[in-house]
Amino acid sequence: IVRTKGLIKEYTMGDQTVRALNGVDLDIYEGEYISIMGPSGSGKSTLFNAIGGLDRPTSGSVFINDVDMAQLDAQELAYLRCHTIGYIFQTFNLIPVMTALENVTLPTVFAGMPTDDGIERGIELLNIVGLGERLHHKPSELSGGQQQRVAIARSLANNPSIILADEPTGNLDLKTGTEIIELLKRLNKEQGVTIISATHDLKMLDVSDRIVYIRDGKIAKIDERKDL
Amino acid sequence: IVRTKGLIKEYTMGDQTVRALNGVDLDIYEGEYISIMGPSGSGKSTLFNAIGGLDRPTSGSVFINDVDMAQLDAQELAYLRCHTIGYIFQTFNLIPVMTALENVTLPTVFAGMPTDDGIERGIELLNIVGLGERLHHKPSELSGGQQQRVAIARSLANNPSIILADEPTGNLDLKTGTEIIELLKRLNKEQGVTIISATHDLKMLDVSDRIVYIRDGKIAKIDERKDL
Ligand SMILES: Nc1ncnc2c1ncn2[C@@H]1O[C@H](COP(=O)(O)OP(=O)(O)OP(=O)(O)O)[C@@H](O)[C@H]1O
Ligand SMILES: Nc1ncnc2c1ncn2[C@@H]1O[C@H](COP(=O)(O)OP(=O)(O)OP(=O)(O)O)[C@@H](O)[C@H]1O
Ligand SMILES: [Mg+2]
Ligand SMILES: [Mg+2]
């Protein structure tokens, strides 16, 4: 469902170049739960930005359902980001002036969902992540882990078939983090959602079909769960 | 070195009140390494804001070295925050338009350190957290874990005697997270720095003298390391 070929991403700063991705070839199958692990700075978020269509690679290609992302026009890309891919950002990227409910409901507005249905969906999702009593809090009125859970709820708003989860449990205690991993696992097993998760959390290993180890912008190795 | 008595913090939102801290009495000894653990939303960051003098409690008191924080004038509070307490924020709070080096060096400017000495200190600290090759990157040009490490380095700039570390390893892989915990442990053991860390990271348990469990804004129990 997701394929990268020869993915390279370079950042140029003055006369210096940082190569964040140095040739990544990765095939992710539909309905798979794949975890990407690697040291801080190894390229996980950069890879996600390329897959999610948020950033153009320096060279190489990304295919979603065999469609080359670079060939899509603005409208097709917007559709993909709205309906197909749900993105949980490492730094949450919530809108500060909007409440938790407004933040979670926003993707449904872009999808053209009727307002009442959108609000109902938002309330349902916030309850699922344990924030039913924080609907009208703005991000600054929420704890770090609560903000992270709003970002998680928001990514599910339009029922995406692919979820890009960039370190979804980094700010969560053991119990809440386990609940979130259980939620992702349920979506994967019961609804066939493809989960691509960048994580440092070893609790994620048990639910992953494969684990991709990335280092210095390249894939170092891939483990299958049955081998673990 | 730090004492809270009857600490209560309430947030009022319209006709609703959220009680983030519901009566916290805590004595922290000089040179101690104390970890505060608890569910997402239980009050850890709110407690840190009160101890760090960033937020006034609704009622109750905070004493730093037996001095009541509420009795300090603006200048005395500024001195405390500049020289005595180093704060690692859960959401980093780096200045977006400044580079990593400028962010880390900023506290030395407030402390009146000569510019060259400040820069030397900044470079040293960034090297210690493994970012010697990222000195001139702005926060948006750094990975999540790299931003977290800049926040950690910045907290050490003026050699504080108390470090408030709010989830310092949330965005770090196992190896880098362990290095940061080792760094905090060294500061504690070799320089007698008091470390107060809010964390969900179980790696923190081994190095802590005591572990405070907080739930719904109250202390549930305190464990001594020798009992674990
Ligand atoms: N805009 C940019 N300009 C220059 N370098 C950048 C930029 N963005 C990222 N980098 C660098 O690219 C590398 C990869 O960053 P990336 O965010 O993908 O890492 P990561 O694996 O997600 O790390 P973490 O686990 O800390 O989140 C890092 O070394 C980072 O410093
Ligand atoms: N400005 C605010 N207005 C209203 N409620 C707030 C505000 N700030 C925090 N809260 C609430 O206070 C409670 C405690 O928040 P706090 O940030 O201290 O939690 P925490 O223990 O640090 O959680 P986490 O582990 O998720 O970081 C939360 O339930 C939060 O929703
Ligand atoms: Mg990242
Ligand atoms: Mg917190």
CSV table of all heavy atoms in Angstrom, one decimal, chain A residues 63-109:
chain,number,residue,atom,x,y,z
A,63,PHE,N,5.1,5.8,-3.5
A,63,PHE,CA,3.9,5.4,-4.1
A,63,PHE,C,2.9,5.0,-3.0
A,63,PHE,O,3.2,4.2,-2.1
A,63,PHE,CB,4.2,4.1,-5.0
A,63,PHE,CG,5.1,4.4,-6.1
A,63,PHE,CD1,6.5,4.2,-5.9
A,63,PHE,CD2,4.7,4.7,-7.3
A,63,PHE,CE1,7.4,4.4,-6.9
A,63,PHE,CE2,5.6,5.0,-8.4
A,63,PHE,CZ,7.0,4.8,-8.1
A,64,ILE,N,1.7,5.6,-3.2
A,64,ILE,CA,0.6,5.2,-2.3
A,64,ILE,C,-0.4,4.5,-3.2
A,64,ILE,O,-1.0,5.1,-4.1
A,64,ILE,CB,-0.1,6.4,-1.6
A,64,ILE,CG1,1.0,7.3,-0.9
A,64,ILE,CG2,-1.2,5.9,-0.6
A,64,ILE,CD1,1.1,7.1,0.6
A,65,ASN,N,-0.7,3.2,-2.8
A,65,ASN,CA,-1.6,2.4,-3.7
A,65,ASN,C,-1.2,2.4,-5.2
A,65,ASN,O,-2.0,2.6,-6.1
A,65,ASN,CB,-3.1,2.9,-3.6
A,65,ASN,CG,-3.7,2.6,-2.2
A,65,ASN,OD1,-3.5,1.5,-1.7
A,65,ASN,ND2,-4.4,3.6,-1.7
A,66,ASP,N,0.1,2.3,-5.3
A,66,ASP,CA,0.8,2.3,-6.7
A,66,ASP,C,0.7,3.7,-7.4
A,66,ASP,O,1.0,3.7,-8.6
A,66,ASP,CB,0.2,1.2,-7.5
A,66,ASP,CG,0.6,-0.2,-7.0
A,66,ASP,OD1,1.7,-0.3,-6.5
A,66,ASP,OD2,-0.2,-1.1,-7.0
A,67,VAL,N,0.2,4.7,-6.7
A,67,VAL,CA,0.2,6.0,-7.4
A,67,VAL,C,1.4,6.8,-6.9
A,67,VAL,O,1.7,7.0,-5.7
A,67,VAL,CB,-1.1,6.8,-7.0
A,67,VAL,CG1,-1.1,8.2,-7.5
A,67,VAL,CG2,-2.3,6.0,-7.4
A,68,ASP,N,2.2,7.4,-7.9
A,68,ASP,CA,3.3,8.2,-7.6
A,68,ASP,C,2.9,9.5,-7.0
A,68,ASP,O,2.2,10.3,-7.7
A,68,ASP,CB,4.2,8.4,-8.8
A,68,ASP,CG,5.5,9.1,-8.6
A,68,ASP,OD1,5.7,9.6,-7.5
A,68,ASP,OD2,6.3,9.1,-9.5
A,69,MET,N,3.3,9.8,-5.7
A,69,MET,CA,2.9,11.0,-5.1
A,69,MET,C,3.3,12.3,-5.8
A,69,MET,O,2.6,13.3,-5.8
A,69,MET,CB,3.5,11.1,-3.7
A,69,MET,CG,3.1,10.0,-2.8
A,69,MET,SD,1.6,10.3,-1.8
A,69,MET,CE,2.2,11.5,-0.6
A,70,ALA,N,4.4,12.2,-6.5
A,70,ALA,CA,5.0,13.4,-7.2
A,70,ALA,C,4.1,13.7,-8.4
A,70,ALA,O,4.2,14.9,-8.9
A,70,ALA,CB,6.4,13.1,-7.6
A,71,GLN,N,3.3,12.8,-8.9
A,71,GLN,CA,2.5,13.0,-10.1
A,71,GLN,C,1.1,13.6,-9.7
A,71,GLN,O,0.3,14.0,-10.6
A,71,GLN,CB,2.2,11.7,-10.8
A,71,GLN,CG,3.5,11.0,-11.2
A,71,GLN,CD,4.4,11.9,-12.2
A,71,GLN,OE1,3.9,12.7,-12.9
A,71,GLN,NE2,5.7,11.7,-12.1
A,72,LEU,N,0.8,13.7,-8.4
A,72,LEU,CA,-0.5,14.2,-8.0
A,72,LEU,C,-0.6,15.7,-8.1
A,72,LEU,O,0.4,16.4,-7.7
A,72,LEU,CB,-0.9,13.7,-6.6
A,72,LEU,CG,-0.9,12.2,-6.4
A,72,LEU,CD1,-1.2,11.9,-4.9
A,72,LEU,CD2,-2.0,11.6,-7.2
A,73,ASP,N,-1.8,16.2,-8.5
A,73,ASP,CA,-1.9,17.7,-8.4
A,73,ASP,C,-2.4,18.0,-7.0
A,73,ASP,O,-2.7,17.1,-6.2
A,73,ASP,CB,-2.9,18.2,-9.5
A,73,ASP,CG,-4.3,17.6,-9.3
A,73,ASP,OD1,-4.8,17.5,-8.2
A,73,ASP,OD2,-4.9,17.3,-10.4
A,74,ALA,N,-2.5,19.3,-6.7
A,74,ALA,CA,-2.8,19.8,-5.4
A,74,ALA,C,-4.1,19.2,-4.8
A,74,ALA,O,-4.2,18.8,-3.7
A,74,ALA,CB,-2.8,21.3,-5.4
A,75,GLN,N,-5.1,19.1,-5.7
A,75,GLN,CA,-6.4,18.6,-5.3
A,75,GLN,C,-6.3,17.1,-4.9
A,75,GLN,O,-6.9,16.7,-3.9
A,75,GLN,CB,-7.4,18.8,-6.4
A,75,GLN,CG,-8.8,18.7,-6.0
A,75,GLN,CD,-9.8,19.3,-7.0
A,75,GLN,OE1,-9.4,20.3,-7.7
A,75,GLN,NE2,-11.0,18.8,-7.1
A,76,GLU,N,-5.6,16.4,-5.7
A,76,GLU,CA,-5.5,14.9,-5.4
A,76,GLU,C,-4.7,14.7,-4.2
A,76,GLU,O,-5.0,13.8,-3.4
A,76,GLU,CB,-4.8,14.2,-6.6
A,76,GLU,CG,-5.7,14.2,-7.9
A,76,GLU,CD,-4.8,13.8,-9.1
A,76,GLU,OE1,-3.7,14.3,-9.3
A,76,GLU,OE2,-5.3,13.0,-9.9
A,77,LEU,N,-3.7,15.5,-4.0
A,77,LEU,CA,-2.8,15.4,-2.8
A,77,LEU,C,-3.7,15.7,-1.5
A,77,LEU,O,-3.6,15.0,-0.5
A,77,LEU,CB,-1.6,16.3,-2.9
A,77,LEU,CG,-0.4,16.0,-2.1
A,77,LEU,CD1,0.1,14.6,-2.4
A,77,LEU,CD2,0.7,17.0,-2.4
A,78,ALA,N,-4.5,16.8,-1.7
A,78,ALA,CA,-5.4,17.2,-0.5
A,78,ALA,C,-6.4,16.1,-0.2
A,78,ALA,O,-6.6,15.8,1.0
A,78,ALA,CB,-6.1,18.5,-0.9
A,79,TYR,N,-6.9,15.4,-1.2
A,79,TYR,CA,-7.8,14.3,-1.0
A,79,TYR,C,-7.1,13.2,-0.2
A,79,TYR,O,-7.7,12.6,0.7
A,79,TYR,CB,-8.4,13.8,-2.3
A,79,TYR,CG,-9.4,12.7,-2.1
A,79,TYR,CD1,-10.8,13.0,-1.9
A,79,TYR,CD2,-9.0,11.3,-2.0
A,79,TYR,CE1,-11.7,12.0,-1.7
A,79,TYR,CE2,-9.9,10.3,-1.8
A,79,TYR,CZ,-11.3,10.7,-1.6
A,79,TYR,OH,-12.2,9.7,-1.3
A,80,LEU,N,-5.9,12.9,-0.6
A,80,LEU,CA,-5.2,11.8,0.0
A,80,LEU,C,-4.9,12.1,1.5
A,80,LEU,O,-5.2,11.3,2.4
A,80,LEU,CB,-3.8,11.7,-0.7
A,80,LEU,CG,-3.0,10.4,-0.5
A,80,LEU,CD1,-3.6,9.3,-1.3
A,80,LEU,CD2,-1.6,10.6,-1.0
A,81,ARG,N,-4.5,13.3,1.7
A,81,ARG,CA,-4.2,13.7,3.1
A,81,ARG,C,-5.5,13.8,4.0
A,81,ARG,O,-5.4,13.7,5.2
A,81,ARG,CB,-3.5,15.1,3.1
A,81,ARG,CG,-2.1,15.0,2.7
A,81,ARG,CD,-1.3,16.2,3.2
A,81,ARG,NE,-0.3,16.6,2.2
A,81,ARG,CZ,-0.2,17.8,1.7
A,81,ARG,NH1,-1.1,18.7,2.1
A,81,ARG,NH2,0.7,18.1,0.8
A,82,CYS,N,-6.6,14.1,3.3
A,82,CYS,CA,-7.8,14.2,4.1
A,82,CYS,C,-8.5,12.9,4.4
A,82,CYS,O,-9.0,12.7,5.5
A,82,CYS,CB,-8.8,15.1,3.2
A,82,CYS,SG,-10.4,15.4,4.0
A,83,HIS,N,-8.5,12.0,3.4
A,83,HIS,CA,-9.3,10.8,3.5
A,83,HIS,C,-8.5,9.5,3.7
A,83,HIS,O,-9.0,8.6,4.3
A,83,HIS,CB,-10.2,10.6,2.3
A,83,HIS,CG,-11.3,11.6,2.2
A,83,HIS,ND1,-12.5,11.4,2.8
A,83,HIS,CD2,-11.4,12.8,1.5
A,83,HIS,CE1,-13.3,12.5,2.6
A,83,HIS,NE2,-12.6,13.3,1.8
A,84,THR,N,-7.3,9.5,3.1
A,84,THR,CA,-6.6,8.2,3.1
A,84,THR,C,-5.6,8.1,4.3
A,84,THR,O,-5.4,7.0,4.8
A,84,THR,CB,-5.8,8.1,1.8
A,84,THR,OG1,-6.7,8.4,0.7
A,84,THR,CG2,-5.3,6.7,1.6
A,85,ILE,N,-4.9,9.2,4.6
A,85,ILE,CA,-3.8,9.2,5.5
A,85,ILE,C,-4.2,9.9,6.8
A,85,ILE,O,-4.6,11.1,6.7
A,85,ILE,CB,-2.5,9.8,4.9
A,85,ILE,CG1,-2.1,9.0,3.7
A,85,ILE,CG2,-1.4,9.7,6.0
A,85,ILE,CD1,-0.9,9.6,3.0
A,86,GLY,N,-4.0,9.3,8.0
A,86,GLY,CA,-4.2,10.1,9.2
A,86,GLY,C,-2.8,10.2,9.8
A,86,GLY,O,-2.1,9.3,10.0
A,87,TYR,N,-2.5,11.5,10.2
A,87,TYR,CA,-1.1,11.8,10.6
A,87,TYR,C,-1.1,12.2,12.1
A,87,TYR,O,-1.8,13.1,12.5
A,87,TYR,CB,-0.5,12.9,9.8
A,87,TYR,CG,1.0,12.9,9.6
A,87,TYR,CD1,1.6,13.2,8.4
A,87,TYR,CD2,1.8,12.8,10.7
A,87,TYR,CE1,2.9,13.3,8.3
A,87,TYR,CE2,3.2,12.9,10.6
A,87,TYR,CZ,3.7,13.1,9.4
A,87,TYR,OH,5.1,13.2,9.3
A,88,ILE,N,-0.4,11.5,12.9
A,88,ILE,CA,-0.2,11.9,14.3
A,88,ILE,C,1.2,12.5,14.4
A,88,ILE,O,2.2,11.7,14.3
A,88,ILE,CB,-0.3,10.7,15.3
A,88,ILE,CG1,-1.7,10.0,15.1
A,88,ILE,CG2,-0.1,11.1,16.8
A,88,ILE,CD1,-1.7,8.6,15.8
A,89,PHE,N,1.3,13.8,14.6
A,89,PHE,CA,2.6,14.4,14.6
A,89,PHE,C,3.4,14.3,16.0
A,89,PHE,O,2.8,14.3,17.0
A,89,PHE,CB,2.4,15.9,14.3
A,89,PHE,CG,1.9,16.2,13.0
A,89,PHE,CD1,0.6,16.4,12.7
A,89,PHE,CD2,2.8,16.4,11.9
A,89,PHE,CE1,0.1,16.7,11.5
A,89,PHE,CE2,2.4,16.7,10.6
A,89,PHE,CZ,1.0,16.8,10.4
A,90,GLN,N,4.7,14.2,15.9
A,90,GLN,CA,5.5,14.0,17.1
A,90,GLN,C,5.3,15.2,18.0
A,90,GLN,O,5.4,15.1,19.2
A,90,GLN,CB,7.0,13.9,16.6
A,90,GLN,CG,7.9,13.7,17.7
A,90,GLN,CD,9.3,13.3,17.2
A,90,GLN,OE1,9.6,13.3,16.0
A,90,GLN,NE2,10.2,12.9,18.1
A,91,THR,N,5.2,16.4,17.4
A,91,THR,CA,5.0,17.6,18.2
A,91,THR,C,3.5,18.1,18.2
A,91,THR,O,3.2,19.3,18.3
A,91,THR,CB,5.9,18.7,17.8
A,91,THR,OG1,5.8,18.9,16.4
A,91,THR,CG2,7.3,18.4,18.2
A,92,PHE,N,2.6,17.2,17.9
A,92,PHE,CA,1.1,17.3,18.0
A,92,PHE,C,0.6,18.3,17.0
A,92,PHE,O,-0.4,18.0,16.3
A,92,PHE,CB,0.7,17.8,19.4
A,92,PHE,CG,1.4,17.2,20.6
A,92,PHE,CD1,1.6,17.9,21.7
A,92,PHE,CD2,1.9,15.9,20.5
A,92,PHE,CE1,2.3,17.3,22.8
A,92,PHE,CE2,2.6,15.3,21.5
A,92,PHE,CZ,2.8,16.0,22.7
A,93,ASN,N,1.1,19.5,16.8
A,93,ASN,CA,0.6,20.5,15.8
A,93,ASN,C,-0.9,20.8,16.0
A,93,ASN,O,-1.6,20.7,15.0
A,93,ASN,CB,0.9,20.0,14.4
A,93,ASN,CG,2.4,19.9,14.1
A,93,ASN,OD1,3.2,20.3,15.0
A,93,ASN,ND2,2.8,19.5,12.9
A,94,LEU,N,-1.3,21.0,17.2
A,94,LEU,CA,-2.7,21.4,17.4
A,94,LEU,C,-2.9,22.9,17.2
A,94,LEU,O,-1.9,23.6,17.3
A,94,LEU,CB,-3.1,21.0,18.8
A,94,LEU,CG,-3.0,19.5,19.2
A,94,LEU,CD1,-3.4,19.4,20.7
A,94,LEU,CD2,-3.8,18.7,18.3
A,95,ILE,N,-4.1,23.3,16.9
A,95,ILE,CA,-4.3,24.7,16.6
A,95,ILE,C,-4.6,25.3,18.0
A,95,ILE,O,-5.6,25.0,18.7
A,95,ILE,CB,-5.5,24.9,15.7
A,95,ILE,CG1,-5.1,24.3,14.3
A,95,ILE,CG2,-5.8,26.4,15.5
A,95,ILE,CD1,-6.1,24.4,13.2
A,96,PRO,N,-3.8,26.3,18.4
A,96,PRO,CA,-3.8,26.8,19.8
A,96,PRO,C,-5.2,27.5,20.1
A,96,PRO,O,-5.6,27.5,21.3
A,96,PRO,CB,-2.7,27.8,19.9
A,96,PRO,CG,-1.8,27.4,18.7
A,96,PRO,CD,-2.6,26.9,17.7
A,97,VAL,N,-5.8,28.1,19.2
A,97,VAL,CA,-7.0,28.9,19.5
A,97,VAL,C,-8.3,28.1,19.5
A,97,VAL,O,-9.4,28.5,19.7
A,97,VAL,CB,-7.2,30.1,18.6
A,97,VAL,CG1,-6.0,31.1,18.7
A,97,VAL,CG2,-7.3,29.7,17.1
A,98,MET,N,-8.1,26.8,19.1
A,98,MET,CA,-9.3,25.9,19.0
A,98,MET,C,-9.3,24.9,20.2
A,98,MET,O,-8.3,24.5,20.7
A,98,MET,CB,-9.2,25.1,17.7
A,98,MET,CG,-9.5,25.9,16.5
A,98,MET,SD,-9.6,24.8,15.1
A,98,MET,CE,-10.5,25.8,13.9
A,99,THR,N,-10.5,24.5,20.6
A,99,THR,CA,-10.6,23.6,21.7
A,99,THR,C,-10.2,22.2,21.2
A,99,THR,O,-10.1,21.9,20.0
A,99,THR,CB,-12.1,23.5,22.2
A,99,THR,OG1,-12.9,23.0,21.1
A,99,THR,CG2,-12.6,24.9,22.6
A,100,ALA,N,-10.2,21.2,22.1
A,100,ALA,CA,-9.9,19.8,21.7
A,100,ALA,C,-10.9,19.3,20.7
A,100,ALA,O,-10.6,18.8,19.7
A,100,ALA,CB,-9.9,18.9,23.0
A,101,LEU,N,-12.2,19.6,21.0
A,101,LEU,CA,-13.2,19.1,20.1
A,101,LEU,C,-13.1,19.8,18.7
A,101,LEU,O,-13.3,19.1,17.7
A,101,LEU,CB,-14.6,19.4,20.7
A,101,LEU,CG,-15.8,18.9,19.9
A,101,LEU,CD1,-15.8,17.4,19.7
A,101,LEU,CD2,-17.1,19.3,20.6
A,102,GLU,N,-12.8,21.1,18.7
A,102,GLU,CA,-12.7,21.8,17.4
A,102,GLU,C,-11.5,21.2,16.6
A,102,GLU,O,-11.6,21.1,15.4
A,102,GLU,CB,-12.6,23.3,17.6
A,102,GLU,CG,-13.9,23.9,18.1
A,102,GLU,CD,-13.7,25.3,18.7
A,102,GLU,OE1,-12.5,25.7,19.0
A,102,GLU,OE2,-14.7,26.1,18.8
A,103,ASN,N,-10.4,21.0,17.3
A,103,ASN,CA,-9.2,20.4,16.7
A,103,ASN,C,-9.5,19.1,16.1
A,103,ASN,O,-9.1,18.8,14.9
A,103,ASN,CB,-8.1,20.3,17.7
A,103,ASN,CG,-7.1,21.5,17.7
A,103,ASN,OD1,-6.4,21.7,16.7
A,103,ASN,ND2,-7.2,22.3,18.7
A,104,VAL,N,-10.2,18.2,16.8
A,104,VAL,CA,-10.5,16.9,16.3
A,104,VAL,C,-11.5,16.9,15.2
A,104,VAL,O,-11.5,16.1,14.3
A,104,VAL,CB,-11.0,16.0,17.5
A,104,VAL,CG1,-11.4,14.6,17.0
A,104,VAL,CG2,-9.9,15.8,18.5
A,105,THR,N,-12.4,17.8,15.2
A,105,THR,CA,-13.5,17.9,14.2
A,105,THR,C,-13.1,18.5,12.9
A,105,THR,O,-13.6,18.3,11.9
A,105,THR,CB,-14.7,18.7,14.8
A,105,THR,OG1,-15.0,18.2,16.1
A,105,THR,CG2,-15.9,18.6,14.0
A,106,LEU,N,-12.0,19.3,13.0
A,106,LEU,CA,-11.5,20.1,11.8
A,106,LEU,C,-11.4,19.2,10.5
A,106,LEU,O,-11.9,19.6,9.5
A,106,LEU,CB,-10.2,20.8,12.1
A,106,LEU,CG,-9.8,21.9,11.2
A,106,LEU,CD1,-10.9,23.0,11.1
A,106,LEU,CD2,-8.5,22.5,11.6
A,107,PRO,N,-10.8,18.0,10.6
A,107,PRO,CA,-10.6,17.2,9.3
A,107,PRO,C,-12.0,16.9,8.8
A,107,PRO,O,-12.1,16.7,7.5
A,107,PRO,CB,-9.9,16.0,9.8
A,107,PRO,CG,-9.2,16.4,11.0
A,107,PRO,CD,-10.0,17.4,11.7
A,108,THR,N,-13.0,16.7,9.6
A,108,THR,CA,-14.4,16.4,9.1
A,108,THR,C,-15.0,17.6,8.3
A,108,THR,O,-15.7,17.4,7.4
A,108,THR,CB,-15.3,16.0,10.2
A,108,THR,OG1,-15.6,17.1,11.0
A,108,THR,CG2,-14.7,14.8,11.0
A,109,VAL,N,-14.6,18.8,8.7
A,109,VAL,CA,-15.0,20.0,8.0
A,109,VAL,C,-14.4,19.9,6.6
A,109,VAL,O,-15.1,20.2,5.6
A,109,VAL,CB,-14.6,21.2,8.7
A,109,VAL,CG1,-14.9,22.5,7.9
A,109,VAL,CG2,-15.3,21.3,10.1
